[in-house]
């Protein structure tokens, strides 16, 4: 398992902070920066190299940019908000250049339609604040975080229920369970099996996590899921 260095987290956080993000579009978080650092490669072989990648819930497009930087053949940027899709294309053009935009397709849809998008691999930073934390979330942001349910995994379950890619890479905070493996295995069944974590880092959690994360720094993982065939 790769440990993502602080320097890589800081770099991708700076990239995310500089992106265009219209009102209502999810601005990249520290979790997003961690996932971007994990898939971008940055001189090492990337998990996404050569694949057609679905960026599930692309927001401002940080994961699309990281996947392209990591050698993805194409990226399908998916979001239910057309403003996010426009921002993603603009941000890809700004960060990577006009020619790279030709490798990005936009899909205005929700996660129940992921199976219609094709793709070999899905990357997703799902909402994972347990429902008891939503009251502490600013009202303007609650629509971005209120689908995780009591244990923080409901949004990920939706992805794994409806995706049709061979591989799904997702973030999950260590805070959600003392032992993530049994929780992850329960989330993935029966369509996806849990392969374990491919990357980890100490990641800053936002203010609403404070009751669960004193100091707001805790380990976050990139988890790998494989579709169950046969």
């Amino acid at each position: 398992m790769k440990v993502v260095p602080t320097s890589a987290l800081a770099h991708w956080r700076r990239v995310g902070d500089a992106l265009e993000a219209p009102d209502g579009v999810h601005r990249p978080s520290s979790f997003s920066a961690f996932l971007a650092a994990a898939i971008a490669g940055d001189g090492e072989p990337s998990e996404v190299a050569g694949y057609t990648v679905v960026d599930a819930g692309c927001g401002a497009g940080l994961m699309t940019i990281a996947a392209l930087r990591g050698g993805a053949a194409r990226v399908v940027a998916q979001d239910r908000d057309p403003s996010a899709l426009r921002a993603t294309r603009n941000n890809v053009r700004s960060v990577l250049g006009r020619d790279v935009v030709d490798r990005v397709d936009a899909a205005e849809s929700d996660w129940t339609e992921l199976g219609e998008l094709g793709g070999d691999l899905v990357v997703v930073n799902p909402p994972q604040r347990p429902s008891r934390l939503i009251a502490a979330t600013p009202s303007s942001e609650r629509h971005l975080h209120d689908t995780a349910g009591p244990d923080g995994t409901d949004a990920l379950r939706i992805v794994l229920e409806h995706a049709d890619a061979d591989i799904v890479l997702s973030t999950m905070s260590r805070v959600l369970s003392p032992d993530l493996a049994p929780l992850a295995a329960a989330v993935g069944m029966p369509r996806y099996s849990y392969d374990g974590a491919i990357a980890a880092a100490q990641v800053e959690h936002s203010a609403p996590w404070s009751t669960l994360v004193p100091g707001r720094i805790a380990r976050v993982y990139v988890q790998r899921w494989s579709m169950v065939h046969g």
Side-chain angles (χ1 to χ4, degrees):
M1 179 173 61
K2 175 172 67 175
V3 176
V4 175
T6 301
S7 58
L9 290 176
H11 167 74
W12 284 99
R13 190 63 192 264
R14 289 192 297 271
V15 174
D17 287 346
L19 297 182
E20 169 194 335
D23 289 345
V25 173
H26 188 259
R27 178 168 288 284
S29 66
S30 55
F31 282 37
S32 299
F34 163 55
L35 182 54
I39 68 172
D42 294 331
E44 299 179 6
S46 170
E47 291 279 334
V48 304
Y51 286 116
T52 295
V53 174
V54 176
D55 177 3
C58 62
L62 184 65
M63 229 56 61
T64 293
I65 292 168
L68 291 165
R69 183 70 59 79
R74 297 195 66 78
V75 177
V76 180
Q78 176 276 326
D79 206 286
R80 60 187 178 184
D81 184 349
S83 296
L85 300 176
R86 288 192 294 271
T88 291
R89 292 184 67 85
N90 290 341
N91 287 325
V92 168
R93 183 181 297 109
S94 176
V95 175
L96 299 178
R98 184 176 300 275
D99 292 345
V100 181
V101 178
D102 292 339
R103 290 161 53 199
V104 179
D105 298 317
E108 184 180 342
S109 61
D110 63 35
W111 285 353
T112 64
E113 300 168 285
L114 284 175
E116 301 173 17
L117 302 182
D120 311 303
L121 185 150
V122 171
V123 292
V124 62
N125 175 37
Q128 55 196 277
R129 293 180 193 177
S131 52
R132 61 188 180 278
L133 302 183
I134 297 304
T137 300
S139 58
S140 61
E141 299 176 7
R142 288 179 188 172
H143 69 289
L144 301 170
H145 300 282
D146 63 0
T147 56
D151 68 357
T153 64
D154 280 4
L156 178 56
R157 286 186 170 98
I158 292 172
V159 171
L160 296 177
E161 180 180 356
H162 295 283
D164 196 34
D166 287 334
I167 300 167
V168 174
L169 301 179
S170 70
T171 58
M172 187 179 281
S173 173
R174 177 72 169 74
V175 177
L176 298 184
S177 173
D179 186 350
L180 280 176
L183 175 62
V187 170
M189 296 297 286
R191 297 187 70 245
Y192 282 87
S193 63
Y194 174 57
D195 295 339
I198 64 166
Q202 293 293 109
V203 177
E204 181 182 12
H205 289 52
S206 59
W209 287 88
S210 296
T211 56
L212 299 181
V213 190
R216 291 174 45 192
I217 301 292
R219 206 156 179 83
V220 178
Y221 298 92
V222 175
Q223 299 187 308
R224 189 181 193 275
W225 312 79
S226 292
M227 179 172 279
V228 177
H229 295 282

